[in-house]
Amino acid sequence: MSTYLIGDIHGCYYELQTILEQVNFNQFMDTLWLTGDLVARGPGSLEVLRLIRRLGDSVRIVLGNHDLHLLAVYAGIVRNKFKDRTTPLLEASDADDLINWLRYQPVLQVDNQKKLVMTHAGITPQWNIDTALQCAREVEAILRSDSYPLFLNTMYEDMPNNWSQELSGLARLRFSTNVFTRMRYCFPNGQLDMICKDMPNKAPEPLRPWFTLPSPIAEKYSIVFGHWASLMGNGTPKGIYGLDTGCCWGGELTLLCWEDKKFIRIPYTGIKNT
């Protein structure tokens, strides 16, 4: 029984198949954790969602910003972008089932036995684990409700960028969503910066990668995230693992076996399927 964690797939179906074959993944014995951004940019988003859904309870997922964008496209809030290569998914006969399955997926995974936390982008250092869980459940509840298009229509904003228990309504949901799916940098006090996308050695002062700031969650849990492909898995402190290595951009798909901490990487091929 093994636990495998895989970085952002982005529709790279062939590479996903290949990496699961390399570890002889058994859905009846093993568990697969996925850091989000399952879809968009790669050639096989439809096939990726069908495979992951078929694997059932053996998979633990978090939603990423590209997954939420797909939900917004489906809801008619934003236009479908040609570069996302998701038209075959949106036009598939099972599109409704796949999209509705997707919006019922969580934005945070916590395993208290393994002391393991996974989100797509990260965890703000302003939160403890109870606050993170509470905020995740709030986002998940609105995504699963009939009001999800209203929420998705307001998520494309950067404010508020500072946590307060007094935050409420759509402002609170937007802050939480930005933390879970978009965050890269914070100011030293934990306030979010939603603009900078540079590498850490080029980021302006006083910005810091979120994972370099003291965090009550990082003191007790290992944290796995994706989202930040340009890091290529480098530069994180002990116990924090960035698994997005830019497969859809010509990089690699990365898998981490939790039990022995060994990595497997599959180069991008551009092949749609086998």
Side-chain angles (χ1 to χ4, degrees), residues 6-26:
I6 296 180
D8 301 19
I9 299 167
H10 274 294
C12 295
Y13 176 67
Y14 175 81
E15 291 76 10
L16 175 61
Q17 275 194 316
T18 302
I19 212 165
L20 292 177
E21 289 170 0
Q22 283 210 8
V23 297
N24 295 313
F25 178 75
N26 185 331

mmCIF file of all heavy atoms in Angstrom, residues 6-26:
data_model
loop_
_atom_site.group_PDB
_atom_site.id
_atom_site.type_symbol
_atom_site.label_atom_id
_atom_site.label_comp_id
_atom_site.label_asym_id
_atom_site.label_seq_id
_atom_site.Cartn_x
_atom_site.Cartn_y
_atom_site.Cartn_z
ATOM 1 N N ILE A 6 1.184 13.464 -7.104
ATOM 2 C CA ILE A 6 1.564 13.898 -8.449
ATOM 3 C C ILE A 6 1.251 15.379 -8.608
ATOM 4 O O ILE A 6 0.189 15.858 -8.205
ATOM 5 C CB ILE A 6 0.836 13.086 -9.535
ATOM 6 C CG1 ILE A 6 1.261 11.614 -9.457
ATOM 7 C CG2 ILE A 6 1.119 13.641 -10.924
ATOM 8 C CD1 ILE A 6 0.588 10.728 -10.484
ATOM 9 N N GLY A 7 2.185 16.106 -9.221
ATOM 10 C CA GLY A 7 2.009 17.529 -9.475
ATOM 11 C C GLY A 7 1.019 17.803 -10.589
ATOM 12 O O GLY A 7 0.396 16.900 -11.145
ATOM 13 N N ASP A 8 0.896 19.060 -10.951
ATOM 14 C CA ASP A 8 -0.128 19.529 -11.883
ATOM 15 C C ASP A 8 -0.083 18.758 -13.202
ATOM 16 O O ASP A 8 0.950 18.748 -13.887
ATOM 17 C CB ASP A 8 0.065 21.011 -12.167
ATOM 18 C CG ASP A 8 -0.018 21.863 -10.905
ATOM 19 O OD1 ASP A 8 0.127 21.309 -9.806
ATOM 20 O OD2 ASP A 8 -0.217 23.071 -11.037
ATOM 21 N N ILE A 9 -1.203 18.160 -13.566
ATOM 22 C CA ILE A 9 -1.276 17.310 -14.760
ATOM 23 C C ILE A 9 -1.575 18.133 -16.013
ATOM 24 O O ILE A 9 -1.034 17.860 -17.087
ATOM 25 C CB ILE A 9 -2.340 16.205 -14.564
ATOM 26 C CG1 ILE A 9 -1.955 15.321 -13.373
ATOM 27 C CG2 ILE A 9 -2.484 15.364 -15.831
ATOM 28 C CD1 ILE A 9 -3.077 14.406 -12.897
ATOM 29 N N HIS A 10 -2.454 19.101 -15.902
ATOM 30 C CA HIS A 10 -2.763 20.014 -17.018
ATOM 31 C C HIS A 10 -3.093 19.274 -18.320
ATOM 32 O O HIS A 10 -2.608 19.630 -19.393
ATOM 33 C CB HIS A 10 -1.586 20.956 -17.268
ATOM 34 C CG HIS A 10 -1.607 22.193 -16.415
ATOM 35 N ND1 HIS A 10 -2.581 23.159 -16.523
ATOM 36 C CD2 HIS A 10 -0.779 22.608 -15.431
ATOM 37 C CE1 HIS A 10 -2.338 24.128 -15.643
ATOM 38 N NE2 HIS A 10 -1.259 23.815 -14.959
ATOM 39 N N GLY A 11 -3.891 18.242 -18.215
ATOM 40 C CA GLY A 11 -4.317 17.553 -19.430
ATOM 41 C C GLY A 11 -3.267 16.685 -20.080
ATOM 42 O O GLY A 11 -3.451 16.246 -21.221
ATOM 43 N N CYS A 12 -2.175 16.397 -19.386
ATOM 44 C CA CYS A 12 -1.118 15.543 -19.944
ATOM 45 C C CYS A 12 -1.438 14.079 -19.638
ATOM 46 O O CYS A 12 -0.857 13.456 -18.742
ATOM 47 C CB CYS A 12 0.242 15.949 -19.380
ATOM 48 S SG CYS A 12 0.750 17.614 -19.859
ATOM 49 N N TYR A 13 -2.369 13.559 -20.387
ATOM 50 C CA TYR A 13 -2.912 12.221 -20.130
ATOM 51 C C TYR A 13 -1.877 11.123 -20.356
ATOM 52 O O TYR A 13 -1.749 10.188 -19.552
ATOM 53 C CB TYR A 13 -4.127 11.998 -21.025
ATOM 54 C CG TYR A 13 -4.737 10.623 -20.943
ATOM 55 C CD1 TYR A 13 -5.364 10.195 -19.773
ATOM 56 C CD2 TYR A 13 -4.705 9.758 -22.032
ATOM 57 C CE1 TYR A 13 -5.942 8.937 -19.699
ATOM 58 C CE2 TYR A 13 -5.286 8.501 -21.958
ATOM 59 C CZ TYR A 13 -5.895 8.095 -20.794
ATOM 60 O OH TYR A 13 -6.460 6.851 -20.728
ATOM 61 N N TYR A 14 -1.146 11.204 -21.440
ATOM 62 C CA TYR A 14 -0.154 10.171 -21.741
ATOM 63 C C TYR A 14 0.886 10.091 -20.626
ATOM 64 O O TYR A 14 1.253 8.994 -20.179
ATOM 65 C CB TYR A 14 0.526 10.469 -23.070
ATOM 66 C CG TYR A 14 1.647 9.512 -23.413
ATOM 67 C CD1 TYR A 14 1.372 8.261 -23.959
ATOM 68 C CD2 TYR A 14 2.973 9.847 -23.166
ATOM 69 C CE1 TYR A 14 2.400 7.370 -24.254
ATOM 70 C CE2 TYR A 14 4.007 8.966 -23.455
ATOM 71 C CZ TYR A 14 3.710 7.735 -24.000
ATOM 72 O OH TYR A 14 4.734 6.858 -24.287
ATOM 73 N N GLU A 15 1.367 11.226 -20.172
ATOM 74 C CA GLU A 15 2.373 11.242 -19.109
ATOM 75 C C GLU A 15 1.801 10.711 -17.796
ATOM 76 O O GLU A 15 2.499 10.008 -17.051
ATOM 77 C CB GLU A 15 2.909 12.664 -18.921
ATOM 78 C CG GLU A 15 3.749 13.179 -20.078
ATOM 79 C CD GLU A 15 2.930 13.605 -21.303
ATOM 80 O OE1 GLU A 15 1.671 13.686 -21.196
ATOM 81 O OE2 GLU A 15 3.530 13.851 -22.359
ATOM 82 N N LEU A 16 0.531 11.022 -17.519
ATOM 83 C CA LEU A 16 -0.111 10.488 -16.318
ATOM 84 C C LEU A 16 -0.202 8.975 -16.390
ATOM 85 O O LEU A 16 0.134 8.272 -15.425
ATOM 86 C CB LEU A 16 -1.504 11.099 -16.157
ATOM 87 C CG LEU A 16 -2.353 10.550 -15.008
ATOM 88 C CD1 LEU A 16 -1.679 10.799 -13.670
ATOM 89 C CD2 LEU A 16 -3.754 11.172 -15.035
ATOM 90 N N GLN A 17 -0.667 8.457 -17.506
ATOM 91 C CA GLN A 17 -0.720 7.006 -17.679
ATOM 92 C C GLN A 17 0.650 6.366 -17.490
ATOM 93 O O GLN A 17 0.799 5.348 -16.804
ATOM 94 C CB GLN A 17 -1.239 6.671 -19.074
ATOM 95 C CG GLN A 17 -2.738 6.632 -19.227
ATOM 96 C CD GLN A 17 -3.111 5.967 -20.545
ATOM 97 O OE1 GLN A 17 -2.526 6.243 -21.581
ATOM 98 N NE2 GLN A 17 -4.071 5.074 -20.497
ATOM 99 N N THR A 18 1.651 6.969 -18.096
ATOM 100 C CA THR A 18 3.002 6.411 -18.066
ATOM 101 C C THR A 18 3.557 6.365 -16.653
ATOM 102 O O THR A 18 4.138 5.357 -16.228
ATOM 103 C CB THR A 18 3.940 7.235 -18.965
ATOM 104 O OG1 THR A 18 3.429 7.246 -20.294
ATOM 105 C CG2 THR A 18 5.343 6.649 -18.966
ATOM 106 N N ILE A 19 3.346 7.429 -15.900
ATOM 107 C CA ILE A 19 3.911 7.479 -14.552
ATOM 108 C C ILE A 19 3.188 6.513 -13.619
ATOM 109 O O ILE A 19 3.811 5.900 -12.734
ATOM 110 C CB ILE A 19 3.900 8.926 -14.016
ATOM 111 C CG1 ILE A 19 5.097 9.156 -13.079
ATOM 112 C CG2 ILE A 19 2.602 9.290 -13.327
ATOM 113 C CD1 ILE A 19 5.366 10.626 -12.785
ATOM 114 N N LEU A 20 1.881 6.330 -13.815
ATOM 115 C CA LEU A 20 1.145 5.356 -12.997
ATOM 116 C C LEU A 20 1.578 3.930 -13.334
ATOM 117 O O LEU A 20 1.664 3.067 -12.445
ATOM 118 C CB LEU A 20 -0.360 5.519 -13.204
ATOM 119 C CG LEU A 20 -0.974 6.817 -12.675
ATOM 120 C CD1 LEU A 20 -2.464 6.874 -13.004
ATOM 121 C CD2 LEU A 20 -0.750 6.956 -11.175
ATOM 122 N N GLU A 21 1.864 3.680 -14.601
ATOM 123 C CA GLU A 21 2.360 2.357 -14.997
ATOM 124 C C GLU A 21 3.740 2.088 -14.399
ATOM 125 O O GLU A 21 4.045 0.957 -13.998
ATOM 126 C CB GLU A 21 2.404 2.251 -16.515
ATOM 127 C CG GLU A 21 1.027 2.174 -17.163
ATOM 128 C CD GLU A 21 1.090 2.310 -18.674
ATOM 129 O OE1 GLU A 21 2.208 2.462 -19.218
ATOM 130 O OE2 GLU A 21 0.012 2.286 -19.315
ATOM 131 N N GLN A 22 4.564 3.104 -14.319
ATOM 132 C CA GLN A 22 5.922 2.918 -13.793
ATOM 133 C C GLN A 22 5.916 2.479 -12.332
ATOM 134 O O GLN A 22 6.808 1.754 -11.894
ATOM 135 C CB GLN A 22 6.742 4.192 -13.967
ATOM 136 C CG GLN A 22 7.244 4.406 -15.380
ATOM 137 C CD GLN A 22 8.552 5.170 -15.419
ATOM 138 O OE1 GLN A 22 9.193 5.431 -14.398
ATOM 139 N NE2 GLN A 22 8.982 5.524 -16.615
ATOM 140 N N VAL A 23 4.931 2.956 -11.569
ATOM 141 C CA VAL A 23 4.872 2.576 -10.151
ATOM 142 C C VAL A 23 3.884 1.441 -9.910
ATOM 143 O O VAL A 23 3.628 1.073 -8.757
ATOM 144 C CB VAL A 23 4.502 3.783 -9.268
ATOM 145 C CG1 VAL A 23 5.570 4.858 -9.355
ATOM 146 C CG2 VAL A 23 3.124 4.354 -9.620
ATOM 147 N N ASN A 24 3.337 0.884 -11.005
ATOM 148 C CA ASN A 24 2.354 -0.204 -10.885
ATOM 149 C C ASN A 24 1.210 0.194 -9.953
ATOM 150 O O ASN A 24 0.826 -0.557 -9.048
ATOM 151 C CB ASN A 24 3.033 -1.481 -10.378
ATOM 152 C CG ASN A 24 4.044 -2.020 -11.356
ATOM 153 O OD1 ASN A 24 3.787 -2.134 -12.553
ATOM 154 N ND2 ASN A 24 5.241 -2.330 -10.852
ATOM 155 N N PHE A 25 0.663 1.378 -10.191
ATOM 156 C CA PHE A 25 -0.400 1.873 -9.331
ATOM 157 C C PHE A 25 -1.589 0.920 -9.317
ATOM 158 O O PHE A 25 -2.089 0.503 -10.355
ATOM 159 C CB PHE A 25 -0.865 3.255 -9.806
ATOM 160 C CG PHE A 25 -2.001 3.804 -8.992
ATOM 161 C CD1 PHE A 25 -1.766 4.303 -7.729
ATOM 162 C CD2 PHE A 25 -3.305 3.819 -9.491
ATOM 163 C CE1 PHE A 25 -2.823 4.806 -6.961
ATOM 164 C CE2 PHE A 25 -4.356 4.319 -8.738
ATOM 165 C CZ PHE A 25 -4.109 4.807 -7.466
ATOM 166 N N ASN A 26 -2.030 0.574 -8.101
ATOM 167 C CA ASN A 26 -3.156 -0.331 -7.893
ATOM 168 C C ASN A 26 -4.248 0.426 -7.151
ATOM 169 O O ASN A 26 -4.085 0.756 -5.972
ATOM 170 C CB ASN A 26 -2.703 -1.549 -7.085
ATOM 171 C CG ASN A 26 -3.793 -2.591 -6.920
ATOM 172 O OD1 ASN A 26 -4.986 -2.280 -6.901
ATOM 173 N ND2 ASN A 26 -3.400 -3.847 -6.786
#
